[in-house]
Amino acid sequence: MIEARHLRVLRAVSTTGSFSAAARELGCTQPAVSQQMKALEASAGTTLLIRTGREMRLTQAGEALVRHASGILAGLTAAEEEVAAIAGLRAGRVRLVSFPSGSSTLVPGALAALRAEHPGTRVSLVEAEPPRSVDLLREGDCDIALAFRYGATGGEWDDLVVRPLLTDRLIGLVPDGHRLAGAAGVSIGELAEESWIAGCPRCRRQLVEVCEESGFTPRIDFATDDYPAVMGLVGAGLGVAVLPELAVESVRPKGARAVPVEPAIEREIVALTLPDLARVPAVAATLDQLARTAAR
């Protein structure tokens, strides 16, 4: 019989390329990894790994097993959580991954409300931007991914449960002394000659597309995933930026002025989970609280 713990080890070996690296990732010893792989091969009745130099290579059977491992492990997690909740053994555990501006705005209120309503539910949080956060969900390394996208992309999340939360408009940031600092609204074309400070890769790509649609390519002198750093650079007079409203809400900009930008640039904020996990009570309760917090 193939055991879940053996599948987790096989997936780690496949990802890292060696027993020693897999042992470090899993927090165990190399001999333990080797023993579990022997046990898995005995259960499977065939060779799953071939040593090539210092690395391990999957056989065709190993590749097939790894391909199914994430779905199997996610299904097992869903089953364990649902059974535990029904049996009253514990309220549940939820692993949440969120992009930074969501972590500082939507997540705190939702988790505080969840704790008040279900004090036994444990929620852990790590940060990652999409698409990495979505990959973590599909790989079975989290239960809910808070993510965003600019415009619907056909088929991007068809295999997932999508819980829409809100529409987040991007706004412009200019230095206090900028010629457009007091404007009621700014056309993106009016910033064509400015030095730009860009945010995360997905936001950066959207910025370039919008600017090119307005007839120019932005001169990006600075790029950082750290929103406070973007605001600090703008406040120091080193350029202009376009940031999500959630990001501006989470940090008080010093020396920078927010101005509405046209054409409107919007991103859809959603909570994602796997179909099996959506039926787990603790996951469903967390999704509900995220939606309530976003609606306020």
Side-chain angles (χ1 to χ4, degrees):
M1 181 180 293
I2 294 175
E3 298 184 29
R5 60 194 178 101
H6 294 158
L7 290 179
R8 290 189 177 94
V9 173
L10 177 64
R11 190 176 65 178
V13 173
S14 171
T15 301
T16 62
S18 72
F19 283 177
S20 57
R24 287 193 297 271
E25 180 175 300
L26 295 169
C28 62
T29 64
Q30 181 175 339
V33 170
S34 178
Q35 289 171 5
Q36 293 202 46
M37 286 299 90
K38 288 179 182 178
L40 180 57
E41 288 182 329
S43 298
T46 187
T47 301
L48 302 174
L49 294 163
I50 299 173
R51 184 180 294 278
T52 56
R54 294 184 177 180
E55 293 192 343
M56 306 302 296
R57 179 170 58 83
L58 291 171
T59 64
Q60 185 177 359
E63 290 175 351
L65 201 51
V66 167
R67 194 165 56 247
H68 291 285
S70 295
I72 292 170
L73 293 173
L76 285 172
T77 299
E80 290 170 355
E81 294 291 350
E82 191 165 0
V83 169
I86 291 171
L89 298 177
R90 54 191 170 89
R93 171 182 59 87
V94 179
R95 298 166 299 165
L96 175 65
V97 60
S98 172
F99 54 93
S101 58
S103 298
S104 58
T105 53
L106 293 174
V107 170
L111 296 193
L114 183 70
R115 177 175 291 182
E117 189 172 341
H118 304 285
T121 299
R122 295 180 294 114
V123 181
S124 62
L125 171 68
V126 296
E127 288 190 341
E129 297 274 1
R132 178 57 188 151
S133 58
V134 184
D135 291 340
L136 289 172
L137 177 62
R138 290 192 173 110
E139 290 165 5
D141 293 323
C142 72
D143 304 310
I144 297 174
L146 210 61
F148 63 85
R149 62 182 172 185
Y150 293 93
T153 304
E156 182 182 17
W157 295 332
D158 283 355
D159 59 322
L160 304 174
V161 174
V162 181
R163 186 74 172 267
L165 298 179
L166 58 87
T167 299
D168 188 22
R169 179 167 178 163
L170 273 65
I171 58 176
L173 279 178
V174 299
D176 275 344
H178 193 275
R179 58 189 172 83
L180 297 173
V186 174
S187 164
I188 199 80
E190 295 181 78
L191 302 171
E193 301 303 319
E194 301 286 344
S195 171
W196 283 86
I197 300 151
C200 74
R202 183 167 279 202
C203 297
R204 198 176 310 156
R205 185 166 61 249
Q206 182 68 17
L207 168 67
V208 171
E209 290 176 0
V210 170
C211 290
E212 288 179 346
E213 288 173 2
S214 296
F216 72 98
T217 299
R219 188 180 79 251
I220 298 175
D221 290 342
F222 304 94
T224 173
D225 294 346
D226 185 357
Y227 290 136
V230 173
M231 295 181 194
L233 290 166
V234 173
L238 295 173
V240 300
V242 173
L243 287 182
E245 220 167 353
L246 282 181
V248 178
E249 285 178 14
S250 65
V251 180
R252 185 185 298 276
K254 294 181 181 179
R257 188 77 61 87
V259 292
V261 172
E262 297 294 342
I265 310 170
E266 295 179 338
R267 63 177 186 171
E268 179 188 10
I269 309 296
V270 301
L272 304 171
T273 192
L274 296 169
D276 283 341
L277 292 172
R279 295 191 292 272
V280 175
V283 172
T286 305
L287 290 172
D288 289 343
Q289 289 295 354
L290 285 167
R292 291 189 194 109
T293 301
R296 290 172 188 158

